[in-house]
């Protein structure tokens, strides 16, 4: 759980979570999603960066650990992408549709667009994590 590979993978995933989230949701997603929010004033103007960084670190650690168990020693770009797709489906589409059914956050179109962004985010994270595991496990 706290191997060198897992810690490096966690750090890379956390950095991507932070910066990739800023790119995908802050720059690309914001203009696409702004007309799909059901409740105004829902999003903060400026996020709490410390809490955001801690959340990205925890998500990176969980993602890295789950990937290492799922991959079972077979690390490649396609394995990482597949894992990212499943996490994107779970969080982006599954939780997104549940949120759409139970809360006034996004309309259905916005929820689907957000699910696509989540899936892209986690596919890239999966590829990065798989490359780290592939590189460092091959050196052992």
């Amino acid at each position: 759980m706290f191997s060198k590979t897992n810690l490096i993978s966690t750090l890379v995933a956390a950095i991507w979570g932070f910066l990739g989230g800023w790119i995908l949701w802050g720059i690309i997603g914001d203009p696409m999603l702004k007309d799909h929010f059901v409740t105004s004033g829902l999003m903060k103007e400026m996020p709490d960066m410390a809490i955001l960084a801690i959340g990205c670190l925890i998500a990176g650690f969980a993602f890295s650990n789950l990937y290492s168990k799922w991959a079972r020693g077979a690390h490649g770009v396609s394995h990482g992408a597949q894992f990212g797709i499943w996490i994107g489906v779970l969080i982006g589409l599954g939780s997104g549709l549940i949120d759409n059914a139970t809360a006034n956050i996004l309309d259905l179109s916005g929820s689907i667009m957000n699910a696509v962004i989540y899936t892209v985010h986690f596919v890239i994270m999966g590829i990065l994590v798989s490359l780290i595991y592939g590189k460092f496990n091959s050196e052992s």
Side-chain angles (χ1 to χ4, degrees):
M1 182 184 325
F2 292 106
S3 68
K4 175 177 136 181
T5 304
N6 188 25
L7 293 177
I8 293 170
S9 173
T10 294
L11 185 59
V12 168
I15 291 169
W16 168 252
F18 191 90
L19 296 176
W22 173 66
I23 292 166
L24 292 174
W25 280 280
I27 295 174
I28 297 169
D30 187 50
M32 291 178 5
L33 294 171
K34 71 178 176 186
D35 294 332
H36 296 279
F37 282 102
V38 177
T39 306
S40 64
L42 187 63
M43 303 303 287
K44 292 181 177 181
E45 276 298 312
M46 199 53 195
D48 183 327
M49 294 301 203
I51 300 295
L52 180 60
I54 292 167
C56 288
L57 192 60
I58 291 168
F61 183 68
F63 189 95
S64 180
N65 276 292
L66 289 170
Y67 170 80
S68 72
K69 304 294 185 228
W70 180 83
R72 296 183 186 165
H75 307 292
V77 171
S78 66
H79 286 95
Q82 288 173 16
F83 184 72
I85 288 169
W86 284 115
I87 298 297
V89 167
L90 172 70
I91 295 175
L93 191 57
S95 291
L97 291 177
I98 291 168
D99 286 346
N100 182 270
T102 60
N104 290 318
I105 300 170
L106 290 168
D107 62 20
L108 185 57
S109 296
S111 294
I112 302 233
M113 284 188 276
N114 200 34
V116 170
I117 296 169
Y118 264 109
T119 302
V120 169
H121 184 258
F122 286 119
V123 164
I124 293 169
M125 187 179 286
I127 291 169
L128 292 171
V129 167
S130 72
L131 291 171
I132 297 296
Y133 270 92
K135 168 91 173 122
F136 285 95
N137 281 350
S138 66
E139 291 178 359
S140 298

